[in-house]
Amino acid sequence: MNTTNFSLEFPLNFSEIRKLNKMYFEHLFKQHIIFVSILVLLLLIFSDLSNVNLEDDFFLWLIRSLGIIVFFVIIENSFIDAVSGIVFQIAKRLLRFKKLNRRYKFVFTNSTVCIRFPLGRLTHKWTTIEKAILTKNFLFLYIKEENNYIISISRKDYDYRKMEELLAFVEQNVIHIIKV
């Protein structure tokens, strides 16, 4: 097999989409919310700093900023969980539309594993694969990163030749596949 031209694409089935939404995209979405909320917090603190006379009110500004940070940390987790819950309830309802389901795909190339979804894509290098396990019905790829992920690929829903080509590529070029 020529690895320079290796490229496979698999559409995701409904159960794979649900698993990825729960494990992968929910975490990614939470990271975006945290980033935006930290920016808002910093904006509040620095806008308050611009209105303070540093010689007279610095200590009061410092206490007020510390109070804002503590309040922010306390309510941030509940806010993030509430917003994530709402978004993923909407996502579950949107998965009923076949047109949207077709936009979820695994794309494997010689250097990356890519997951395409309606809001963008996530890409991992093959070097982040820690373990590959093959069962009767699934291929599991364990990705080692900041938060470990498991990508499951159903063997029964895809063209047999494509799946065998993916298995051969992983075995020869990435990592030994553990067969269970």
Side-chain angles (χ1 to χ4, degrees):
M1 177 184 344
N2 185 0
T3 60
T4 58
N5 294 328
F6 179 74
S7 180
L8 289 175
E9 187 172 295
F10 296 103
L12 275 71
N13 65 29
F14 184 73
S15 66
E16 290 168 335
I17 292 171
R18 286 182 49 199
K19 286 177 194 171
L20 283 173
N21 276 345
K22 184 68 179 158
M23 176 176 42
Y24 220 27
F25 304 131
E26 183 175 13
H27 172 72
L28 184 68
F29 184 70
K30 282 184 178 183
Q31 283 181 329
H32 285 43
I33 291 175
I34 290 170
F35 178 74
V36 169
S37 59
I38 288 173
L39 286 178
V40 169
L41 176 68
L42 291 174
L43 182 69
L44 282 172
I45 290 173
F46 287 116
S47 68
D48 189 35
L49 178 63
S50 67
N51 297 329
V52 171
N53 181 359
L54 291 178
E55 294 172 1
D56 299 332
D57 300 329
F58 180 73
F59 187 69
L60 290 173
W61 172 81
L62 197 60
I63 292 173
R64 192 169 46 236
S65 296
L66 186 60
I68 290 172
I69 291 170
V70 169
F71 179 73
F72 173 78
V73 169
I74 290 171
I75 68 163
E76 180 184 27
N77 285 335
S78 61
F79 172 74
I80 290 171
D81 289 339
V83 170
S84 294
I86 291 168
V87 167
F88 284 101
Q89 287 299 322
I90 292 169
K92 282 182 187 177
R93 292 192 175 127
L94 290 176
L95 286 178
R96 295 180 187 149
F97 299 109
K98 295 263 188 223
K99 187 175 183 180
L100 189 63
N101 281 353
R102 289 187 200 125
R103 296 183 65 192
Y104 283 86
K105 294 181 180 178
F106 287 127
V107 179
F108 301 98
T109 64
N110 61 331
S111 60
T112 62
V113 175
C114 181
I115 303 167
R116 291 186 187 161
F117 56 102
L119 299 176
R121 66 178 171 182
L122 299 168
T123 305
H124 302 287
K125 293 186 183 281
W126 280 110
T127 55
T128 62
I129 303 294
E130 181 177 346
K131 202 180 279 187
I133 297 178
L134 181 66
T135 65
K136 181 180 177 184
N137 295 323
F138 289 95
L139 171 64
F140 296 101
L141 299 174
Y142 293 87
I143 297 176
K144 59 178 175 183
E145 284 190 347
E146 179 182 316
N147 294 320
N148 296 329
Y149 298 111
I150 301 171
I151 296 176
S152 63
I153 305 160
S154 174
R155 292 181 70 188
K156 60 184 177 183
D157 292 335
Y158 303 119
D159 181 12
Y160 180 76
R161 289 175 306 190
K162 280 180 143 181
M163 194 60 164
E164 290 303 316
E165 189 177 344
L166 175 63
L167 293 172
F169 177 81
V170 171
E171 186 75 40
Q172 292 173 3
N173 301 303
V174 182
I175 194 168
H176 173 70
I177 297 176
I178 300 167
K179 295 176 174 109
V180 179

